[in-house]
Amino acid sequence: MNLPSPGARVVVRYILPTGQATDALGELLSADEQTLVVDGKRGVATIPRGAVIAAKEVPPAPPRRP
């Protein structure tokens, strides 16, 4: 799986230990052969590489409305 470089905004779909799929959306802090670390709205998610179903770079978040 080709991942963008750390610092990119990504969405990662992965399987939880319960068997349910979930997404992490945020900045890719690091990626190695064993884990991905994504900093999103729900905090920092450390995701085992084996649990990842899909991952891709996404555009920057739209600006907040006043």
Side-chain angles (χ1 to χ4, degrees):
M1 174 179 318
N2 292 331
L3 289 171
S5 301
R9 186 168 184 253
V10 296
V11 62
V12 179
R13 175 154 294 176
Y14 63 101
I15 300 292
L16 296 170
T18 61
Q20 295 175 309
T22 191
D23 294 328
L25 172 65
E27 179 184 354
L28 181 63
L29 298 179
S30 67
D32 60 31
E33 293 177 6
Q34 297 176 352
T35 59
L36 304 176
V37 181
V38 178
D39 185 9
K41 286 185 178 181
R42 293 183 278 176
V44 177
T46 302
I47 305 164
R49 182 72 88 133
V52 175
I53 299 169
K56 67 178 183 176
E57 188 168 357
V58 295
R64 290 183 168 237
R65 294 182 180 187

